[in-house]
Amino acid sequence: MATDDAMPARPMPRFPDGFLWGVSTSAHQIEGAAGLRGPSVWDAFTAGPGRVKDGSTADVACDHYHRYREDVALLADLGVDAYRFSVSWPRVDSPGGLDFYDRLVDEVCAAGVRPVPTLFHWDLPAGLDWLERDTAARFAEYVSVVAGRLGDRVGKWITLNEPAEHTLLGHALGVHAPGRKLLFDALPAAHHQLLAHGLAVRALRAAGATDVGIANSHGPTWPASGDPADREAAEFYDLLLNRMFADPVLTGRYPEGVGELMPGSPGEVAADLEIIGEPLDWYGVNYYAPTRVGAPQGAEIEFGGVTLPAELPFSVREIEGRPLTDFGWPVVPEGLTELLTGFRDRYGDRLPPVVITENGCSYEGLDDRDRIAYLDGHVRALHRAMEAGVDVRGYFVWSLLDNFEWAEGYARRFGLVHVDFTTLERTPKASYGWFRDLVRHGR
Ligand code: IFM
């Protein structure tokens, strides 16, 4: 717990007019009402023994499906400009499923908040598989249906959330749905999601959308030492987490050596990259922490709740001397400045305006001063990147509500609002009040 003198006291720098302040959630993590939608890969995964640490499921979660009006009232009171939520593909595939998003979008708009839907946040309908190329085409069809229904009220769209995590955790390491442990054979799942992204951009534009982005997770990669073996391992990790997902989207090319590993002939991959590199109106960045990486150590490593196998060509090392969140993630606000200025330097004119689509931390308690200190530090770090010339247009806190934190179950609390998972009562935390003040001031 932070002490009082660790609490932010300095005035917050001013952000430009029109800067978008928001909060984020995702369907599977908050909606519940599992009986009113088809199953997703996450339902099947969660049913397996030992997959979710506290043995919980997302069947009820925050019961947002039934309590969305209460949650939108919390948004309105918070005073945010925008609300990022996700649309559940298995719900849209079920009778009456799209009606829910109709009601939600109406309610959000009536509260004076801009709805920002993400079209895929990991809850793939059961029976579909990102290892199959056809899933990308099916995604584009689903996107057209959603855009046709909500496009009269939704301006800003997000195609995918964090294809890197969905690939690495879900297909390579097996700790998220669908639970595959393919290591590098998971790469087709990455390519097909990226193709789905490009096809979705085209489908959204065909439906009249003019404000389309993606939410990719990124973080600086710090070599464990100046030793060439550590540097090489860190470069490899940077490729895996950052470049493999940013390069194709922003430049229409994979980093050297990666395209050859993707499914299809060189000509087919090149044709896919034309679609994947469809220019975006803005680029979403989810930032939590940097990663310190060294040469492999020939042993399994515990990292952020995940056991990394010994055969990986890198090892993740502790970042020393930093406070840790309850999840064990180091708190490094200046990593956000470094990331954004680094992206600007790496991608130059190809980087459209950036929106921070997620940033946040897991801490227990209602008097969550550690969360305030975390958010305060990161908002200032963001401002420093803007002063250094990076064009950043918005900042979304992850998350509005405590929710189902995937393989961690309900044990990790990221919300500005506490949820009692027995009574489902919502209670704003101290950080909610802090963010409300910031949003007012930032305007
Ligand atoms: O809860 C997740 C979210 O679904 C994706 N980004 C990271 C968050 C915290 O782990």
Side-chain angles (χ1 to χ4, degrees), residues 53 62 152 285 372 390 411:
K53 287 185 184 154
C62 306
D152 56 339
V285 169
I372 295 174
V390 185

Side-chain angles (χ1 to χ4, degrees), residues 97-331:
L98 203 38
D99 296 345
F100 169 68
Y101 298 103
D102 239 347
R103 295 194 292 275
L104 175 64
V105 165
D106 277 348
E107 192 78 9
V108 171
C109 291
V113 177
R114 286 175 67 179
V116 184
T118 304
L119 291 152
F120 177 69
H121 196 124
W122 302 353
D123 48 352
L124 190 70
L128 292 184
D129 189 338
W130 285 119
L131 291 179
E132 303 293 333
R133 182 181 174 86
D134 184 49
T135 302
R138 301 277 295 272
F139 181 66
E141 285 165 18
Y142 143 81
V143 168
S144 296
V145 171
V146 177
R149 183 74 170 267
L150 305 181
D152 56 339
R153 285 150 293 156
V154 169
K156 209 172 187 65
W157 296 91
I158 298 174
T159 55
L160 307 182
N161 179 71
E162 299 182 357
E165 264 63 24
H166 191 56
T167 305
L168 299 176
L169 300 177
H171 295 77
L173 299 173
V175 295
H176 275 193
R180 290 213 176 89
K181 294 188 182 177
L182 296 175
L183 294 181
F184 292 101
D185 289 339
L187 289 177
H191 184 73
H192 295 146
Q193 284 177 83
L194 288 165
L195 179 60
H197 156 77
L199 291 171
V201 175
R202 290 188 173 179
L204 287 166
R205 296 241 165 90
T210 55
D211 197 5
V212 180
I214 188 172
N216 261 339
S217 58
H218 293 299
T221 304
W222 293 348
S225 77
D227 187 293
D230 285 340
R231 288 187 167 278
E232 200 180 307
E235 264 174 42
F236 180 78
Y237 188 88
D238 180 48
L239 184 105
L240 211 56
L241 179 73
N242 296 318
R243 295 195 50 204
M244 200 163 83
F245 295 89
D247 281 20
V249 167
L250 294 173
T251 71
R253 298 166 77 155
Y254 277 119
E256 208 185 317
V258 172
E260 293 86 311
L261 304 174
M262 294 306 184
S265 67
E268 284 163 343
V269 172
D272 288 351
L273 282 165
E274 285 264 316
I275 300 169
I276 295 168
E278 195 68 55
L280 290 176
D281 301 299
W282 55 278
Y283 189 77
V285 169
N286 294 358
Y287 171 77
Y288 288 89
T291 313
R292 189 164 164 256
V293 177
Q297 293 181 309
E300 286 185 347
I301 293 173
E302 291 303 318
F303 171 54
V306 178
T307 305
L308 298 177
E311 57 266 46
L312 291 176
F314 59 84
S315 61
V316 177
R317 312 286 177 83
E318 196 181 327
I319 295 181
E320 285 156 12
R322 296 296 184 144
L324 300 178
T325 69
D326 285 354
F327 217 146
W329 299 353
V331 179

Side-chain angles (χ1 to χ4, degrees), residues 15 19-25 82-84 116 118 156 158 161-162 213-220 282-289 333 335-341 343 351-360 374-375 377-386 390-399 435:
F15 283 79
F19 189 85
L20 214 56
W21 297 103
V23 284
S24 296
T25 63
Y83 173 46
R84 175 184 171 222
V116 184
T118 304
K156 209 172 187 65
I158 298 174
N161 179 71
E162 299 182 357
I214 188 172
N216 261 339
S217 58
H218 293 299
W282 55 278
Y283 189 77
V285 169
N286 294 358
Y287 171 77
Y288 288 89
L336 181 56
T337 319
E338 179 186 330
L339 175 72
L340 294 174
T341 53
F343 256 60
L351 182 66
V354 170
V355 174
I356 303 303
T357 33
E358 282 182 29
N359 178 236
Y374 178 101
L375 296 175
H378 285 76
V379 170
R380 289 175 197 277
L382 173 64
H383 195 270
R384 279 194 288 279
M386 292 166 73
V390 185
D391 184 2
V392 186
R393 304 280 177 92
Y395 174 86
F396 288 67
V397 173
W398 182 270
S399 179
F435 195 54

